[in-house]
Amino acid sequence: RQAVRESRAIIESHRAQVVVGFGGYVSLPVYLAARKAGVPVVLHEGNAVPGLANRVAARFAAVVATTFAATPLRRAVHVGLPVRAAIAGLDRSRLRASARAGFELPASGPVLLVSGGSQGARSLNQATAGAYPRLLAAGVSVLHVLGSANFTEAEVAVTDAATGATYRPVGYVDEMADAYAAADLMLARSGAGTVMETAMTGLPTIFVPLPHGNGEQARNAAFLIEADAARLVPDADLDADRLVTEVLDLLADPERLLRMAATARRLVPGDAATRLAG
């Protein structure tokens, strides 16, 4: 009740004409305060499985927008995920050469991007550490975003003398658009942002959903998996051998990668930011 009172004071002191919320526990008091103050609420649910705050607010919000078409919210309008213009309008082929140069990756040959998000992901990192020598030997370079907390002085670049392929470990990437542009394939968790950004940019991805929580990560990627626009590997099944098999299998079929990219782009709206703002 105190949080609702404080939220209403902020709304009224700023003479807010609309409240926009993206869920999370801090949103609910503001949603309720806006309702009491007679201020319309616009909410956006980013995940396939909606959280409690947005489930409550969907009952009275003026606009209920979702990232995923199948998100079960009342009166929901599917708009996609609002992202910055650098992602929404990314031309990977045009930026590939400069992006690879920026990461000191070979200009030619396939590149695998591995990222478990800003904090990294242990299972992805461990599988990649065991797999990259074989990937390099097969001519596949690896851009490995370990997460800042996991990056140490022991993490060094390695180049295969025979193929010229390079393993490039980094702690964090400031601009993921560059990483997407440099890559031909990605290994990633399936958080809503990663699922939508890789689909929007046409980057084929092997998703390894976080095995905890309410299963939302698997649900996030389901529509792409069902359309053969991405691959899914359960976290418990991911090891170095599985990673090598998955990567080499996909990279050996360029036509399939093109189909995956085209299907993913077709399934994901690229104008969500404009639609939500409107």
Side-chain angles (χ1 to χ4, degrees):
R1 287 193 293 268
Q2 180 65 21
V4 173
R5 285 195 294 268
E6 293 178 358
S7 297
R8 182 166 181 175
I10 293 171
I11 290 170
E12 292 178 346
S13 67
H14 286 275
R15 298 180 181 177
Q17 295 172 298
V18 64
V19 165
V20 183
F22 295 87
Y25 74 95
V26 296
S27 295
L28 188 54
V30 188
Y31 292 153
L32 296 175
R35 186 185 190 189
K36 288 178 176 292
V39 175
V41 171
V42 173
L43 70 81
H44 182 276
E45 173 56 55
N47 291 295
V49 180
L52 175 61
N54 279 352
R55 292 203 307 271
V56 171
R59 300 172 183 175
F60 56 81
V63 176
V64 179
T66 64
T67 290
F68 298 94
T71 299
L73 282 177
R74 297 172 60 183
R75 300 179 292 106
V77 177
H78 176 221
V79 301
L81 182 69
V83 299
R84 57 196 182 282
I87 297 293
L90 179 64
D91 184 338
R92 290 175 45 240
S93 60
R94 182 176 64 83
L95 296 179
R96 179 172 290 116
S98 61
R100 289 191 174 189
F103 289 113
E104 299 181 31
L105 291 165
S108 60
V111 171
L112 171 69
L113 168 63
V114 179
S115 176
S118 60
Q119 301 301 313
R122 179 179 298 178
S123 59
L124 273 63
N125 288 346
Q126 290 178 339
T128 302
Y132 83 75
R134 282 177 280 172
L135 293 174
L136 297 188
V140 180
S141 294
V142 180
L143 174 58
H144 187 184
V145 186
L146 291 102
S148 300
N150 305 309
F151 188 79
T152 68
E153 293 181 356
E155 308 296 338
V156 295
V158 177
T159 298
D160 187 281
T163 66
T166 297
Y167 171 72
R168 181 70 58 186
V170 297
Y172 183 78
V173 173
D174 289 319
E175 183 48 75
M176 281 303 293
D178 292 335
Y180 295 152
D184 299 282
L185 180 66
M186 185 172 182
L187 175 73
R189 289 294 193 205
S190 50
T194 300
V195 168
M196 300 304 285
E197 288 187 358
T198 54
M200 198 177 299
T201 58
L203 177 59
T205 302
I206 302 166
F207 290 114
V208 184
L210 188 70
H212 309 298
N214 60 3
E216 70 179 30
Q217 286 213 350
R219 292 275 296 276
N220 287 344
F223 76 106
L224 293 176
I225 307 302
E226 292 166 1
D228 196 27
R231 294 280 281 270
L232 186 142
V233 176
D235 189 82
D237 295 346
L238 181 69
D239 58 17
D241 291 339
R242 180 68 180 270
L243 178 55
V244 170
T245 299
E246 292 282 344
V247 170
L248 296 186
D249 178 59
L250 284 170
L251 291 177
D253 191 350
E255 291 300 319
R256 182 178 184 182
L257 290 178
L258 289 174
R259 289 195 302 272
M260 291 171 70
T263 301
R265 283 194 296 263
R266 186 173 67 250
L267 291 172
V268 174
D271 61 348
T274 300
R275 292 184 64 190
L276 191 62

